[in-house]
Amino acid sequence: MSEECTHDCSTCSANCDHRAPQHEPPHPKSHIKKVIGVVSGKGGVGKSMTSAMLAVSMRRLGYKAGVLDADITGPSIPRLFGVHGPATGDGESINPIPSRTGVQVMSINLLLDDPEAPVVWRGPVIAGAVKQFWQDVVWDVDFLFVDMPPGTGDVPLTVFQTLPVDGIIIVSSPQELVGMIVGKAVQMAKMMNVPILGLVENMSYAVCPDCGKHIQVFGDSHVDEIAAKYALPVLAKMPIDPELSKEADAGMIEMFAGDALDGAAAAVSQLLKK
Ligand code: ADP
């Protein structure tokens, strides 16, 4: 049950009256069809990479896509796309910065004078910045991917309360206590009354360059059993790919040709068909 609701939100419909008014409207000039939150238990598992690559995949499928970088203290979306600030605006609104292939990007790094400076804000200020990215930025997208702050604490919760998220994708790595992370994310999603689209296991394995064998660098994966426990689909198992990190470091994520996230992109595109 959420704080604001008098009933169990896990059993009520998507447009529950108690929940709907909490969501903030986007900018009046924005056109946003679906919002997908990308979450993880901790930083460094590839949440930003997954958000960015999903936006790229949706562009390749012919959709308009954007990434709202809500990971305010660890923003990495502009770096992946090789986009730079400052973002422009007219006092009433801010324009997202388009990538080479037209993915719309907004991140704190595109607004700060010094993108290298650490953001040492407290939770409410961070949540306020994300709210601005939602309310003051003029988006024109079929799919807006929100690269969430890691974890299931106060900040991601506030972000979920602000944005009308249509679906969540959970990113984990085999190193993590995946069971616990998925359990927490499932609870959070229930509280927010948002469906979980599925799990992406990143850094699942590495491929031997000589024989093509899959090497489970971090030991056996437990993602399938955890997914079965919570009746969630595994949308993708992404290998550790040196080519991917090379392209990412060079700001050329859009040039990466891998198809590991195709299953996740298909699940996202289904949202428009519902
Ligand atoms: P998070 O958003 O969860 O903090 P990132 O997406 O920033 O994590 O990824 C952390 C680092 O790992 C980045 O340097 C990224 O380039 C690298 N990385 C992520 N996924 C892969 C992968 N599948 N193969 C190679 N490098 C990866």
Side-chain angles (χ1 to χ4, degrees):
M1 188 156 64
S2 80
E3 276 166 26
E4 290 77 8
C5 269
T6 51
H7 61 275
D8 181 359
C9 282
S10 63
T11 57
C12 61
S13 69
N15 49 7
C16 159
D17 285 344
H18 292 96
R19 297 219 35 77
Q22 295 170 21
H23 293 148
E24 304 287 347
H27 192 279
K29 288 188 190 151
S30 278
H31 299 280
I32 305 165
K33 290 193 185 148
K34 295 290 171 191
V35 179
I36 297 99
V38 183
V39 307
S40 69
K42 60 171 188 171
V45 298
K47 175 177 54 58
S48 305
M49 184 77 98
T50 304
S51 307
M53 284 177 63
L54 278 172
V56 173
S57 301
M58 300 323 282
R59 278 299 291 147
R60 287 181 186 158
L61 291 171
Y63 295 105
K64 289 186 269 187
V67 187
L68 187 163
D69 188 356
D71 194 351
I72 302 286
T73 53
S76 43
I77 297 295
R79 183 177 59 85
L80 295 174
F81 285 99
V83 298
H84 304 277
T88 55
D90 60 6
E92 303 250 304
S93 62
I94 308 169
N95 302 314
I97 298 209
S99 71
R100 298 181 177 75
T101 64
V103 173
Q104 295 167 41
V105 178
M106 183 45 66
S107 168
I108 196 75
N109 267 4
L110 301 176
L111 299 175
L112 293 177
D113 288 338
D114 175 11
E116 304 279 312
V119 174
V120 289
W121 302 337
R122 293 187 194 279
V125 184
I126 294 175
V130 177
K131 195 169 158 183
Q132 263 194 296
F133 291 171
W134 174 248
Q135 294 193 298
D136 297 349
V137 175
V138 178
W139 299 98
D140 180 16
V141 286
D142 297 309
F143 295 102
L144 182 61
F145 293 92
V146 181
D147 184 12
M148 283 283 177
T152 44
D154 193 39
V155 180
L157 202 67
T158 315
V159 173
F160 271 111
Q161 282 170 336
T162 307
L163 272 57
V165 177
D166 295 288
I168 295 174
I169 291 178
I170 304 172
V171 183
S172 67
S173 75
Q175 285 163 295
E176 288 183 293
L177 298 169
V178 185
M180 198 171 76
I181 284 149
V182 174
K184 285 187 177 180
V186 167
Q187 274 189 35
M188 185 164 79
K190 268 190 181 171
M191 279 171 70
M192 299 291 117
N193 198 30
V194 179
I196 296 181
L197 303 182
L199 310 179
V200 167
E201 185 178 68
N202 188 25
M203 310 192 194
S204 221
Y205 57 91
V207 182
C208 170
D210 296 326
C211 68
K213 192 178 164 201
H214 288 194
I215 305 158
Q216 307 233 291
V217 181
F218 300 117
D220 291 343
S221 161
H222 299 289
V223 73
D224 290 318
E225 56 203 79
I226 301 297
K229 181 176 166 195
Y230 292 100
L232 296 170
V234 177
L235 299 174
K237 291 182 181 178
M238 267 209 288
I240 300 172
D241 189 331
E243 191 57 33
L244 174 59
S245 60
K246 202 170 111 199
E247 301 279 27
D249 285 346
M252 307 283 271
I253 185 102
E254 290 153 294
M255 303 300 127
F256 181 71
D259 57 4
L261 283 176
D262 281 2
V268 169
S269 59
Q270 282 303 316
L271 282 175
L272 269 190
K273 293 171 187 144
K274 280 182 186 159

